[in-house]
Amino acid sequence: MSKKRCKDQNTGTEPTVPSRAEAAQARKHAADLRQSSADLRKKPTGLRQSAADQREDIADQREDIADQREDIADQREEAATSKAKLNTSTQALLKEANERLIIASVNAQTMTETAELAKEQMSHMAGHDYLTGLPNRLLLNDRMAQSIAFAQRHSKKVALVFMDLDYFKHINDSLGHAVGDALLKSIAKRLQACVRRSDTACRQGGDEFVVLLNEVETVCDAVVLAEKIIETMSQPHLVSGHQLNVTFSIGISFYPDDGKDLETVARNADAAMYQAKEKGRNTYQIFTKEMDARALARHSMEQELHRALEQNRFVLHYQPKVNLETGSITGIEALIRIRHSDNQLVYPEHFISIAEDCGLILPIGRWVLHEACRQTQAWLQAGFDISQIAVNVSSNEFLSQDFFAGVISVLHETGLDPRHLELEITESGLMKDTAKVMAILHALKKLGVRIAIDDFGTGYSSLSYLARFPLDTLKIDQSFVQNLDDASHDKENAIISAVIAMGESLEHRVVAEGIETKQQLTFLQSKNCTEGQGYYFSRPLAAEEITALMVATI
Ligand code: C2E
Ligand code: MG
Ligand code: MG
């Protein structure tokens, strides 16, 4: 600012000359004014700058928004594409699912049908025998219940025809199970052909068949059927190249005459069948009340055998075998009895076959073997010279799985030398399963045990087997010996002579059983029979009595 004087514009008065302080103040004021005007000049530039910045920001934001829009557009496009894709794959999936559903329902249908079929097959199997296809015991029970209900309403009878194939075991044992099975099938076919459609032919199991006859008027209806079955079955069966002749034992019982329920009628038909077997087989029997008594007796004997085993009431009696020339004792046979509670003895003919049927023969036979060996060892230790103790063995025992092991352990337990033991097996027992029998016989021989063939002449053994079996002794059945007295029995005499000669040539000892008279003894001596056994020498005796007998003969 210039230092010239000027008028005060506000007052219009002539300024006065300022003092130095006032001048400095004025200068400072002017400098401030200059500064603030400079600042003011600067401000618009800042504002412009910030406006420019803001514009730039806005532009950036716009750009961002544009980018975002673009992104959204892209995403929309993508979404549209994937939606389109999704539609296509969903449709494919749906299609596939549909197809699967169809297949699944077809499968489900097939499975239902298969399940139905399996169910049908299972219920058929449950009611039928797998081998022959005939109804089985279960189905028979059902049908019998229906038949009884029908018979009650219409006052009719129902007949149960029980059939057991005679000697089937022989066929199975000698020709094998495959042939046995084929034979059973052939029988089933013929049996079915014998009965009416309304009747039921069924296989009970094993070689047992049953026919249920409905609406029976008289006993004759069942008899006619039984005769027809016997006739039809008697024609040879051609099975696996074999021509097999078989026979049946048949038992018949009726509802309501012989029983008011299935169980009783069946039990009585079974009793009648047993009777047919005892009558010589290949025949039929109609149930009678007496048979019921026999069946009951059988049942009570079975109970008695169980009790005798538990209460240790079996006893052995001993019968000496003697040298027919010298009369000296050559051996002893052990024979079983049951001591009844009233001290009476029950003999083996009343219980051995029952024990065989119900399986008790195995523990009984084991007891016999042990007791006979124990007693013999005691006699030997007491100084008696007993060459052999003979023990009877049932074929069921002999062919049982543990028989050989049982013999070894009894010998071990009693300490008896195997050379002192002779096992007696019946002729028919030996012929049951020849291959197995042969193997056991050889094993026993190797051990040192002797083998006798009992009741020789009553069975029908093959001579070639006789020669091949490792036997030691032939025991001629007592029926031949007892007929020796009768002059009209020349044939029996000839048989005895032939057996003695055969025994000699096979180097077997020959023992004649059941010698009761001097005449029988003389005949046997004349034929050079070396040994015998019978009441003529001694009845079977208790162990103490035999001891006394041996003491007396020393
Ligand atoms: P078996 O082995 O042929 O025995 C001979 C049978 O004839 C015995 O009958 C004996 O007492 C009898 N007997 C002996 N001498 C004479 C005689 O002169 N005249 C007559 N009439 N009979 C005589 P038992 O003791 O009644 O035995 C019968 C059958 O029972 C035996 O015949 C045998 O097959 C069987 N048995 C006996 N004990 C046993 C055993 O412990 N186990 C097995 N499985 N069977 C046995
Ligand atoms: Mg005997
Ligand atoms: Mg005998």
Side-chain angles (χ1 to χ4, degrees):
M1 180 177 295
S2 72
K3 290 180 186 172
K4 71 177 189 192
R5 286 198 253 155
C6 63
K7 270 190 199 172
D8 189 334
Q9 290 180 348
N10 293 328
T11 60
T13 59
E14 202 64 40
T16 56
V17 177
S19 66
R20 267 185 193 206
E22 285 171 337
Q25 177 109 23
R27 274 196 305 275
K28 188 174 181 304
H29 185 68
D32 286 347
L33 283 174
R34 273 196 305 274
Q35 183 62 41
S36 54
S37 101
D39 288 347
L40 279 173
R41 270 196 312 272
K42 264 186 200 165
K43 234 178 195 166
T45 320
L47 282 173
R48 268 198 307 277
Q49 184 61 40
S50 84
D53 288 349
Q54 279 178 8
R55 271 198 306 276
E56 211 167 289
D57 281 353
I58 289 167
D60 284 351
Q61 283 173 9
R62 276 204 187 119
E63 208 167 298
D64 281 352
I65 289 168
D67 284 351
Q68 281 174 9
R69 276 205 189 116
E70 214 166 284
D71 281 354
I72 289 168
D74 283 353
Q75 282 171 11
R76 277 205 187 124
E77 201 172 310
E78 232 170 68
T81 323
S82 51
K83 194 178 167 189
K85 271 189 196 162
L86 203 67
N87 273 347
T88 327
S89 71
T90 311
Q91 271 171 11
L93 279 174
L94 271 174
K95 199 177 160 210
E96 198 183 324
N98 252 348
E99 283 168 5
R100 286 202 180 149
L101 202 67
I102 293 166
I103 293 169
S105 28
V106 171
N107 281 350
Q109 179 63 27
T110 321
M111 275 163 73
T112 315
E113 282 166 15
T114 316
E116 288 288 323
L117 200 71
K119 208 169 130 195
E120 255 172 51
Q121 280 173 346
M122 273 167 71
S123 83
H124 181 86
M125 274 163 69
H128 290 80
D129 169 47
Y130 74 97
L131 180 70
T132 60
L134 289 182
N136 62 13
R137 192 188 292 250
L138 211 72
L139 192 53
L140 177 78
N141 288 358
D142 260 18
R143 301 229 173 129
M144 181 72 178
Q146 288 168 19
S147 302
I148 287 181
F150 183 89
Q152 270 169 348
R153 285 200 300 274
H154 299 90
S155 308
K156 297 263 161 110
K157 292 179 198 294
V158 178
L160 261 194
V161 180
F162 264 47
M163 311 165 42
D164 189 89
L165 189 53
D166 299 326
Y167 304 114
F168 178 60
K169 200 172 179 312
H170 288 200
I171 291 171
N172 246 349
D173 288 348
S174 51
L175 301 175
H177 288 269
V179 175
D181 284 356
L183 174 64
L184 289 173
K185 282 190 197 169
S186 162
I187 286 167
K189 216 166 156 190
R190 284 193 199 175
L191 186 61
Q192 199 129 45
C194 285
V195 301
R196 299 172 299 183
R197 282 180 74 84
S198 56
D199 299 328
T200 301
C202 113
R203 181 175 173 224
Q204 283 278 87
D207 57 353
E208 282 187 5
F209 293 83
V210 178
V211 177
L212 165 68
L213 286 183
N214 288 304
E215 301 173 48
V216 173
E217 299 283 349
T218 66
V219 170
C220 279
D221 295 349
V223 167
V224 167
L225 175 76
E227 285 173 350
K228 189 174 170 190
I229 291 172
I230 288 179
E231 163 64 21
T232 311
M233 294 299 170
S234 69
Q235 306 304 317
H237 294 255
L238 287 171
V239 169
S240 321
H242 301 274
Q243 185 168 318
L244 302 175
N245 292 295
V246 295
T247 57
F248 272 97
S249 298
I250 299 175
I252 307 168
S253 89
F254 297 90
Y255 166 88
D257 313 14
D258 303 323
K260 300 277 179 270
D261 55 76
L262 166 66
E263 205 181 309
T264 319
V265 182
R267 198 182 59 235
N268 291 340
D270 197 43
M273 189 186 75
Y274 260 98
Q275 190 68 22
K277 282 210 182 290
E278 286 184 12
K279 288 252 161 163
R281 301 165 199 260
N282 196 23
T283 185
Y284 65 87
Q285 288 286 300
I286 293 167
F287 175 76
T288 62
K289 293 278 176 281
E290 294 73 53
M291 290 179 194
D292 196 19
R294 283 176 67 88
L296 279 176
R298 262 185 101 78
H299 181 70
S300 79
M301 178 51 84
E302 210 176 300
Q303 312 282 74
E304 170 64 357
L305 289 173
H306 277 285
R307 281 195 299 271
L309 262 176
E310 276 164 26
Q311 298 164 2
N312 211 7
R313 285 195 283 105
F314 286 107
V315 285
L316 289 186
H317 278 191
Y318 299 89
Q319 187 178 37
K321 286 187 244 181
V322 297
N323 180 312
L324 295 187
E325 282 303 313
T326 63
S328 64
I329 297 176
T330 56
I332 291 174
E333 177 173 6
L335 296 157
I336 193 172
R337 283 95 180 81
I338 302 174
R339 187 173 297 285
H340 211 261
S341 37
D342 58 8
N343 228 16
Q344 292 287 310
L345 291 179
V346 184
Y347 289 86
E349 62 176 308
H350 300 295
F351 63 85
I352 288 290
S353 65
I354 297 172
E356 286 173 343
D357 285 350
C358 69
L360 282 175
I361 194 68
L362 300 184
I364 293 173
R366 181 68 183 260
W367 178 84
V368 171
L369 188 64
H370 191 280
E371 179 55 17
C373 292
R374 187 202 62 76
Q375 179 60 67
T376 309
Q377 180 68 355
W379 277 323
L380 288 167
Q381 284 175 344
F384 294 107
D385 178 20
I386 294 175
S387 350
Q388 269 97 39
I389 179 77
V391 175
N392 293 284
V393 177
S394 255
S395 59
N396 308 28
E397 275 179 270
F398 190 72
L399 293 170
S400 70
Q401 215 182 354
D402 304 329
F403 179 71
F404 182 66
V407 172
I408 293 179
S409 73
V410 164
L411 289 169
H412 180 71
E413 284 156 22
T414 58
L416 186 71
D417 186 325
R419 286 178 300 118
H420 291 296
L421 177 63
E422 182 163 75
L423 298 179
E424 292 192 4
I425 302 146
T426 58
E427 191 184 0
S428 46
L430 275 180
M431 292 301 149
K432 277 191 179 167
D433 181 350
T434 46
K436 197 170 173 190
V437 163
M438 188 74 86
I440 302 170
L441 289 181
H442 277 291
L444 288 166
K445 281 300 284 180
K446 215 168 154 199
L447 200 64
V449 174
R450 300 172 64 90
I451 313 289
I453 183 163
D454 204 356
D455 303 346
F456 186 70
T458 54
Y460 33 99
S461 46
S462 137
L463 289 181
S464 74
Y465 272 118
L466 265 192
R468 280 162 52 206
F469 282 145
L471 302 172
D472 299 282
T473 309
L474 290 185
K475 295 188 80 177
I476 304 175
D477 189 67
Q478 51 181 274
S479 57
F480 298 103
V481 176
Q482 273 147 26
N483 286 331
L484 281 176
D485 292 340
D486 192 334
S488 65
H489 284 94
D490 287 349
K491 280 192 182 141
E492 269 92 349
N493 301 1
I495 290 171
I496 290 192
S497 306
V499 173
I500 295 169
M502 188 176 77
E504 254 176 26
S505 62
L506 290 172
E507 297 181 355
H508 297 334
R509 282 162 62 182
V510 177
V511 179
E513 295 185 283
I515 304 172
E516 290 183 353
T517 66
K518 174 79 181 145
Q519 198 182 347
Q520 291 163 355
L521 173 63
T522 313
F523 176 86
L524 291 162
Q525 284 170 331
S526 72
K527 298 292 173 192
N528 293 326
C529 181
T530 48
E531 282 177 73
Q533 188 179 347
Y535 295 168
Y536 183 76
F537 306 104
S538 168
R539 285 184 173 264
L541 300 169
E544 319 76 77
E545 294 169 305
I546 285 285
T547 312
L549 188 77
M550 288 191 290
V551 170
T553 53
I554 283 172

